[in-house]
Amino acid sequence: MKQQPRYLFPEDYMADPSAHVFEDKIYIYPSHDWESGKPENDNGDHFDMKDYHVFSLDSIDGKVTHHGEVLRVEDIPWAGRQLWDSDVAHKDGKYYLYFSMKDKTDIFRIGVAVSDRPSGPFTPLDTPIDGSYSIDPCVFCDSDEQYYMYFGGIWGGQLQYYRNNKLNADVNLPLFHDHSLSPKVVRLSDDMLSFAEIPQDALIIDEAGNPLKQGDTERRFFEASWMHKYQGKYYFSYSTGDTHLLCYAIGDNPYGPFTYQGVILTPVVGWTTHHSIVEFQGKWWLFYHDCVPSAGKTWLRSMKVVELEYDDQGRIKTIEGQQIDNLESSTIEQLHRKS
Ligand code: FUB
């Protein structure tokens, strides 16, 4: 029977869950939301996170182990503010935490912190990755042991201020009929601490081979890159941001282009939608978040997991985001844990 969505950690607010199988367990690396009191705006100032925590699971419906705080803003030498989405990769016995954070000039960069264990704690490098910018790093290890980072996000994620990997205060979002901004893809160096090449566009195209347009808000990229491989194909998934969909596109190699396929998850309660996809114990799982437990406060998100299924053509079956109206009032009451 298909597993129902499950809230993973009702004790606190965790978002943007990046899940991986390490040492036969699922490890989850979320952002840690809290009530900072910062006013809500289009730059996302209300997402003022200051630390990361790690969680693990032996089985999908088993006990969730909380490994505690593993990295704090004040421990990062180049820190400005806002620890946004992160991801972790494993190579040669080391675990690398890649994270988005604003530097001291309020520009988002991507940093690395290293640990000997998947549960952390993680020790940050003194500087962000050279040539990195914007937000939402996702690191994917291909079958040939090459590691690729996907990143980028518009609006608060600042991707609209870059062209050809250069910050340019005179540019902004493309116009309605222009090509939309692409997420970026870059191969990592052998030591996992830098980019091995210049980041490239991970182009998303329609079925006719045309790049998606900026005005195509139900399909174009906004933020929250994720990559997984299924039956030899590269599945790039992402959030459409202001239209609140999780979508996916398929390619033949890690760089793309990726042809748009459809919706993975319809809108959830809350403004953001963000996810990861992982295979574990013979099934596929979608980790994501919503704001049902905080009664819709968009800066206080709770992480969840639900089974993800493919049809026999390899298409992902769309999952309905749970709407607050569909919940029993007793369930909502139970979930109002902090108020
Ligand atoms: O958690 C802060 C930001 O919200 C993430 O980096 C975005 O993807 C969105 O989920």
Side-chain angles (χ1 to χ4, degrees):
M1 211 176 60
K2 191 169 184 248
Q3 201 93 16
Q4 288 307 300
R6 173 188 178 196
Y7 282 101
L8 288 162
F9 193 62
E11 293 85 348
D12 205 347
Y13 296 112
M14 300 283 161
D16 311 327
S18 296
H20 289 276
V21 179
F22 297 135
E23 300 176 346
D24 298 326
K25 295 178 191 189
I26 289 209
Y27 277 87
I28 311 167
Y29 303 93
S31 312
H32 182 198
D33 287 351
W34 68 296
E35 187 70 88
S36 71
K38 292 273 170 19
E40 200 174 337
N41 59 27
D42 283 352
N43 279 336
D45 283 345
H46 45 299
F47 297 116
D48 193 24
M49 295 82 105
K50 50 190 173 59
D51 58 15
Y52 290 118
H53 290 237
V54 175
F55 299 85
S56 66
L57 284 166
D58 291 326
S59 64
I60 219 73
D61 48 9
K63 180 177 174 289
V64 176
T65 302
H66 178 204
H67 298 280
E69 187 183 69
V70 295
L71 183 64
R72 305 177 306 174
V73 159
E74 61 260 44
D75 298 331
I76 305 169
W78 57 275
R81 61 183 178 130
Q82 296 182 290
L83 286 176
W84 284 16
D85 171 54
S86 66
D87 194 16
V88 169
H90 173 229
K91 186 177 179 187
D92 299 335
K94 298 262 184 222
Y95 294 84
Y96 299 88
L97 172 73
Y98 299 92
F99 58 95
S100 349
M101 185 185 64
K102 283 181 181 159
D103 66 13
K104 295 182 197 305
T105 66
D106 241 18
I107 303 289
F108 267 115
R109 306 291 305 274
I110 296 169
V112 198
V114 187
S115 179
D116 293 330
R117 289 181 298 274
S119 54
F122 290 86
T123 306
L125 269 62
D126 286 347
T127 53
I129 296 178
D130 202 22
S132 70
Y133 58 96
S134 198
I135 59 166
D136 290 2
C138 149
V139 176
F140 164 73
C141 178
D142 205 352
S143 329
D144 61 0
E145 297 294 308
Q146 294 295 322
Y147 290 77
Y148 298 87
M149 180 186 289
Y150 299 83
F151 68 91
I154 61 175
W155 293 25
Q158 304 178 343
L159 186 64
Q160 66 274 22
Y161 302 125
Y162 289 82
R163 295 292 186 276
N164 300 319
N165 300 306
K166 295 267 177 308
L167 180 62
N168 179 348
D170 296 330
V171 297
N172 208 314
L173 288 171
L175 299 176
F176 192 88
H177 292 294
D178 290 341
H179 294 165
S180 59
L181 292 177
S182 295
K184 306 297 165 198
V185 52
V186 61
R187 193 167 55 79
L188 295 179
S189 58
D190 285 346
D191 68 3
M192 301 293 275
L193 303 178
S194 60
F195 292 166
E197 58 189 7
I198 291 169
Q200 304 177 25
D201 284 350
L203 194 64
I204 304 171
I205 57 176
D206 63 17
E207 51 295 335
N210 300 312
L212 298 185
K213 303 253 171 77
Q214 183 60 26
D216 190 353
T217 55
E218 303 258 318
R219 300 195 296 176
R220 61 96 177 91
F221 172 79
F222 189 104
E223 63 185 3
S225 296
W226 190 258
M227 171 58 72
H228 75 280
K229 216 167 166 181
Y230 180 73
Q231 293 185 342
K233 295 278 185 198
Y234 295 78
Y235 284 58
F236 178 76
S237 48
Y238 57 97
S239 163
T240 60
D242 51 345
T243 50
H244 318 291
L245 299 167
L246 284 182
C247 296
Y248 74 109
I250 296 182
D252 293 326
N253 68 77
Y255 293 101
F258 301 99
T259 307
Y260 178 86
Q261 302 292 319
V263 173
I264 298 173
L265 181 71
T266 63
V268 294
V269 173
W271 202 94
T272 65
T273 185
H274 192 125
H275 70 301
S276 59
I277 295 170
V278 67
E279 187 180 19
F280 184 55
Q281 296 177 346
K283 291 185 173 183
W284 286 87
W285 304 98
L286 177 76
F287 287 78
Y288 64 112
H289 66 228
D290 70 25
C291 296
V292 171
S294 68
K297 286 182 186 165
T298 203
W299 61 95
L300 296 177
R301 301 161 292 179
S302 294
M303 60 178 176
K304 303 174 80 170
V305 62
V306 69
E307 191 178 342
L308 177 136
E309 295 176 307
Y310 303 84
D311 69 13
D312 50 15
Q313 306 293 309
R315 284 185 296 250
I316 294 177
K317 296 185 185 173
T318 302
I319 298 165
E320 293 299 321
Q322 195 175 25
Q323 295 301 309
I324 211 158
D325 294 347
N326 297 342
L327 287 178
E328 296 287 327
S329 54
S330 59
T331 315
I332 294 176
E333 215 160 282
Q334 250 178 29
L335 293 169
H336 282 204
R337 2 158 238 206
K338 291 193 139 187
S339 44

